[in-house]
């Protein structure tokens, strides 16, 4: 895989975060020039990495329905909340990537939801729309990490493709740390499909038991 070009920090600003359950964290938010896909991705620095330690990093794809409106059709909102707390404790970065709907965009994601209501799983719904199962590319994430001076990470993710893509882009993934199982009656089919179709490290027994 070709190595990404260089990017630069455009700005940095401190933002206090407060979640609906009352959890609070302090983030330093970085914006960038020169990201390969031209999207407005941001990196949130959280906590302090111990001397000689490895930063804990999550690549979180934007999800308006889950992150903002609290939709139970996915586990994105709870993963975002969990990630901020875990990274604040360990020290590291949350990369918030503008990749709505695994890269297909908001309107297409909502179209895919309608197809899921008729019985398709989350991946087959994308295919039925003539779109990729997962259209995400993590080149910009690798650029962001390099710009922040990070070459090795602990990756907070259940998704093996994130680790594989980052490794191919020159990022050393020392270990993959799974997120929790954020199960609801509305997302059990979605989570099961992630395990069965793309090998996510989620305990199926927690979903169907």
């Amino acid at each position: 895989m070709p190595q990404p070009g260089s990017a630069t920090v455009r700005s940095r600003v401190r933002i206090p975060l407060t979640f609906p359950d009352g959890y609070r964290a302090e983030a330093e938010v970085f914006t960038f020039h020169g990201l390969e896909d031209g999207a407005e991705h941001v990196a949130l620095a959280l906590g302090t990495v111990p001397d000689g330690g490895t930063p804990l990093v999550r690549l979180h794809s934007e999800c308006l329905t889950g992150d903002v409106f609290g939709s139970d059709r996915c586990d994105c909102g709870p993963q975002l909340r969990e990630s901020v707390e875990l990274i604040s404790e360990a020290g590291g970065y949350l990369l918030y990537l503008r990749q709505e709907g695994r890269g297909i965009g908001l309107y297409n994601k909502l179209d895919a939801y309608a197809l899921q209501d008729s019985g398709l799983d989350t991946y087959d719904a994308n295919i039925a729309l003539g779109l990729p199962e997962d259209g995400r590319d993590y080149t910009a994430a690798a650029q962001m990490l390099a710009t922040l001076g990070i070459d090795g990470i602990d990756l907070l993710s259940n998704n093996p493709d994130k680790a594989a893509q980052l490794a191919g882009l020159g990022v050393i993934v020392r270990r993959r740390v799974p997120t929790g199982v954020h199960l609801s009656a509305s997302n059990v089919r979605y989570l099961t499909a992630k395990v069965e179709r793309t090998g996510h490290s989620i305990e199926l027994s927690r979903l169907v038991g």
Side-chain angles (χ1 to χ4, degrees):
M1 183 178 295
Q3 298 304 296
S6 60
T8 58
V9 171
R10 173 184 173 278
S11 66
R12 53 198 295 178
V13 60
R14 300 198 70 84
I15 298 178
L17 309 178
T18 302
F19 287 83
D21 64 358
Y23 177 75
R24 300 175 62 87
E26 189 80 14
E28 185 172 22
V29 181
F30 292 79
T31 66
F32 299 87
H33 283 303
L35 296 179
E36 188 163 301
D37 60 9
E40 293 185 335
H41 308 300
V42 296
L44 281 69
L46 298 159
T48 302
V49 181
D51 289 342
T54 300
L56 182 62
V57 173
R58 173 158 179 79
L59 279 54
H60 187 91
S61 296
E62 177 182 42
C63 177
L64 178 71
T65 51
D67 296 343
V68 177
F69 297 120
S71 168
D72 282 339
R73 293 192 68 140
C74 63
D75 56 347
C76 301
Q79 281 189 327
L80 179 62
R81 161 66 179 83
E82 173 193 40
S83 298
V84 169
E85 183 169 2
L86 292 176
I87 297 170
S88 294
E89 292 172 353
Y93 296 86
L94 186 143
L95 307 188
Y96 196 82
L97 305 174
R98 310 302 296 274
Q99 301 173 327
E100 183 79 46
R102 296 197 304 273
I104 66 173
L106 177 61
Y107 280 14
N108 283 328
K109 182 178 81 170
L110 296 175
D111 291 342
Y113 277 176
L115 291 174
Q116 290 168 43
D117 288 342
S118 69
L120 297 183
D121 73 22
T122 181
Y123 298 102
D124 286 336
N126 283 17
I127 292 169
L129 292 170
L131 300 167
E133 289 187 354
D134 189 335
R136 290 175 294 183
D137 179 290
Y138 299 110
T139 301
Q143 288 181 290
M144 294 160 76
L145 292 171
T147 302
L148 295 169
I150 300 164
D151 58 5
I153 65 171
D154 290 337
L155 181 64
L156 181 60
S157 178
N158 297 325
N159 186 351
D161 183 55
K162 289 182 180 179
Q165 283 202 41
L166 287 176
L169 291 161
V171 179
I172 300 168
V173 180
R174 295 192 167 93
R175 65 187 181 110
R176 187 154 56 90
V177 180
T179 69
V181 179
H182 304 289
L183 179 65
S184 74
S186 300
N187 71 18
V188 62
R189 288 181 62 241
Y190 166 79
L191 295 179
T192 300
K194 289 171 81 170
V195 173
E196 295 179 344
R197 298 289 296 269
T198 50
H200 280 59
S201 53
I202 305 171
E203 294 182 36
L204 272 177
S205 61
R206 300 276 298 278
L207 305 181
V208 300

